[in-house]
Amino acid sequence: MHAQNQKLDTILEKLKGKEKALFNQVVGALQRHDAQAGKMVSNEIAQVRKTIKMISQLKMALEQIQMRLETTIDLGDVMVAIGPAMGALTRVRSGLSGVMPEVDRELGEINGVFSDIMMNAGSMGNTSFAFDASGEEVDKILAEAGAVAETRMNENFPDVPVGSGSQGTYAGGNSQ
């Protein structure tokens, strides 16, 4: 299971790299004012993100299973020890029931706790995978890429001067 988790980690890293590269393509498309290409690549990013989410959830489920198996192994060792104790408790309880009724009741409660432990030892919780696909993801990606594209454009191109050339006032409001 540990090896499978490592494989999932490798896949996740590759997908995150792909997501980053695709995002940079969207930013480039928006810088070129090619909204159609930006939207197309944004759809691909949305699919990659869904896959990343699914694999992340799968990885967490696998980790939970691994922990439960380790716990079950430990619990199995405990059950091996509790089994004889329950047998001894039953024998002692039957011997004391006529002599000390209050001890019989308390030993019955202890026996009930042991029984509950034994019954609950094998129960496993349900792990569910919830995936929600929405068109809003594409719009969100485009907005995020648009903000990055605008920042990059402002870094690459200086502000346009406003007014006469001798005033030194720029559209960005900065004096240079």
Side-chain angles (χ1 to χ4, degrees):
M1 286 204 162
H2 184 67
Q4 295 303 321
N5 268 338
Q6 287 178 334
K7 287 180 184 179
L8 289 176
D9 280 335
T10 302
I11 291 169
L12 281 172
E13 289 303 315
K14 286 180 183 178
L15 285 172
K16 287 177 182 178
K18 183 177 182 177
E19 177 190 14
K20 186 175 182 179
L22 289 171
F23 185 78
N24 286 331
Q25 287 180 12
V26 172
V27 170
L30 292 178
Q31 285 176 329
R32 293 185 310 273
H33 303 290
D34 188 357
Q36 185 66 27
K39 188 166 187 154
M40 181 183 70
V41 177
S42 292
N43 282 321
E44 182 64 23
I45 291 173
Q47 291 301 316
V48 169
R49 286 182 179 175
K50 287 178 192 175
T51 304
I52 287 172
K53 183 178 179 181
M54 179 184 66
I55 291 174
S56 295
Q57 289 175 336
L58 178 63
K59 184 178 179 306
M60 286 188 334
L62 191 60
E63 288 172 348
Q64 284 180 335
I65 291 169
Q66 182 178 357
M67 284 190 294
R68 294 247 172 120
L69 284 174
E70 290 170 357
T71 301
T72 302
I73 290 169
D74 294 340
L75 192 56
D77 295 341
V78 171
M79 292 305 139
V80 168
I82 287 179
M86 285 183 66
L89 182 64
T90 303
R91 286 189 302 275
V92 168
R93 182 178 174 206
S94 64
L96 290 176
S97 64
V99 179
M100 301 176 77
E102 66 275 356
V103 173
D104 178 50
R105 184 181 51 80
E106 290 178 12
L107 290 176
E109 288 177 15
I110 293 171
N111 196 21
V113 170
F114 280 161
S115 295
D116 287 345
I117 290 171
M118 297 287 274
M119 288 176 57
N120 291 329
S123 68
M124 297 284 283
N126 294 333
T127 303
S128 63
F129 296 100
F131 304 107
D132 54 351
S134 66
E136 295 175 11
E137 183 72 15
V138 172
D139 294 334
K140 183 179 167 186
I141 292 168
L142 286 171
E144 187 180 340
V148 172
E150 183 178 338
T151 302
R152 288 184 185 173
M153 294 281 278
N154 288 337
E155 290 172 357
N156 291 334
F157 300 106
D159 291 334
V160 179
V162 176
S164 66
S166 62
Q167 289 181 343
T169 307
Y170 291 90
N174 298 334
S175 296
Q176 294 183 359

